[in-house]
């Protein structure tokens, strides 16, 4: 069993240490605060997320546990993210990158329409995300889908992804609105309508999707 620990030394340097039955091993050092790690059991590396001082920006890097090589995401990512959410998929990592918050200017008089399906914008800043596949060892990154108005979700493989606009059918009459689900085919760069449903459950690897419709699974 391996245990990964983030430590801070007196000289204000942060370290990642791996604890095993044989002792401890220092894996990584940084002058920036290491906020958290993404650890994938059985995998060859971990994701490191660091907070840059005086900013809302976080740096993300992949650490190869065998070679101790560090692959900074900023070397290949064409934007400056505020935060990066990572998920392991077939052949690499799926990244959900928080780019910025769209802030709503509040006028003295505000008009609300009955068919407005994004009333959340009246109260909260709306996060703006972009989606990528990253292969750290190959230093390759690719954006998933050019349509930034929809949310992309991983199915666990590197070809097919779910695409959904959570506000499209929102009417605020139920806690779970209907969702029009599209499948994005990365190889063909095309979207295909799957169905309009409330919730779904993909299988590991994304080969099958289970969902309830008309009282039947």
């Amino acid at each position: 069993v391996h245990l990964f620990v983030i430590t801070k030394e007196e000289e204000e340097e942060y370290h990642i240490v791996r604890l095993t039955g044989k002792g401890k091993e220092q894996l990584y050092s940084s002058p920036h605060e290491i906020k958290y790690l993404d650890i994938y059991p059985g995998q060859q590396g971990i994701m490191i997320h660091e907070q840059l001082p005086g900013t809302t920006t976080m740096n993300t890097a992949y650490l190869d546990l065998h070679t101790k090589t560090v692959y900074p995401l900023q070397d290949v990512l064409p934007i400056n993210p505020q935060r990066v959410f990572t998920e392991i998929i077939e052949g690499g990592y799926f990244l959900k990158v928080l780019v910025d918050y769209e802030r709503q200017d509040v006028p003295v008089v505000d008009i609300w329409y009955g068919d407005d399906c994004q009333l959340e914008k009246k109260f909260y800043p709306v996060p703006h995300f972009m989606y990528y596949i990253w292969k750290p060892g190959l230093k390759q990154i690719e954006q998933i889908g050019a349509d930034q108005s929809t949310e992309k979700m991983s199915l666990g493989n590197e070809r097919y992804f779910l695409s959904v606009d959570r506000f499209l059918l929102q009417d605020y009459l139920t806690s779970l609105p209907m969702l029009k689900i599209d499948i994005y085919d990365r190889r063909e760069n095309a979207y295909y309508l799957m169905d309009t449903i409330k919730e779904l459950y993909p299988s590991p690897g994304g080969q099958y999707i289970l969902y309830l419709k008309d009282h039947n699974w």
Side-chain angles (χ1 to χ4, degrees):
V1 178
H2 293 178
L3 179 65
F4 296 92
V5 178
I6 301 171
T7 65
K8 180 182 178 183
E9 303 297 336
E10 293 181 358
E11 60 271 19
E12 299 295 323
E13 190 169 73
Y14 293 82
H15 304 278
I16 298 175
V17 177
R18 176 167 54 184
L19 303 180
T20 67
K22 298 179 180 180
K24 66 179 182 179
E25 176 188 10
Q26 183 170 305
L27 302 174
Y28 177 79
S29 299
S30 174
H32 303 139
E33 181 182 2
I34 301 173
K35 299 293 289 187
Y36 61 96
L37 307 174
D38 289 333
I39 300 171
Y40 304 97
Q43 298 303 312
Q44 298 180 354
I46 61 176
M47 291 288 180
I48 304 168
H49 302 271
E50 303 176 1
Q51 182 71 58
L52 295 185
T55 72
T56 59
T57 301
M58 294 189 70
N59 277 350
T60 297
Y62 174 81
L63 172 64
D64 187 312
L65 294 174
H66 292 292
T67 66
K68 307 302 187 296
T69 304
V70 177
Y71 299 92
L73 177 59
Q74 280 66 23
D75 286 354
V76 293
L77 190 66
I79 57 176
N80 291 322
Q82 291 190 9
R83 188 172 179 182
V84 177
F85 302 88
T86 69
E87 181 180 342
I88 192 167
I89 64 171
E90 177 187 30
Y93 292 88
F94 175 71
L95 307 183
K96 181 179 179 180
V97 180
L98 175 59
V99 181
D100 197 3
Y101 283 94
E102 177 186 339
R103 300 189 179 276
Q104 179 81 10
D105 293 331
V106 181
V108 176
V109 177
D110 192 10
I111 299 175
W112 291 22
Y113 295 94
D115 59 352
D116 190 338
C117 58
Q118 299 189 53
L119 292 177
E120 287 84 349
K121 288 186 176 181
K122 305 290 185 180
F123 305 97
Y124 309 106
V126 179
H128 175 56
F129 292 98
M130 298 179 72
Y131 305 88
Y132 296 89
I133 285 183
W134 183 28
K135 299 180 179 181
L138 300 177
K139 299 183 179 180
Q140 294 179 355
I141 196 165
E142 178 185 342
Q143 185 176 349
I144 300 300
D147 180 10
Q148 299 180 12
S149 64
T150 59
E151 178 181 350
K152 307 298 188 300
M153 291 173 282
S154 168
L155 289 171
N157 64 65
E158 60 178 346
R159 177 172 179 178
Y160 297 107
F161 299 84
L162 296 181
S163 179
V164 58
D165 181 349
R166 293 185 179 274
F167 298 105
L168 180 65
L169 302 177
Q170 174 65 271
D171 57 12
Y172 299 102
L173 296 177
T174 63
S175 58
L176 290 175
M178 298 295 289
L179 299 173
K180 183 176 78 69
I181 306 294
D182 290 315
I183 300 294
Y184 174 70
D185 185 336
R186 170 173 164 250
R187 184 179 302 172
E188 301 294 334
N189 190 27
Y191 292 85
Y192 302 97
L193 176 63
M194 190 190 85
D195 212 331
T196 301
I197 56 179
K198 283 195 173 185
E199 56 184 331
L200 55 82
Y201 305 92
S203 67
Q207 294 177 310
Y208 304 96
I209 295 176
L210 179 70
Y211 64 92
L212 182 66
K213 185 172 184 179
D214 297 330
H215 305 292
N216 293 308
W217 290 101

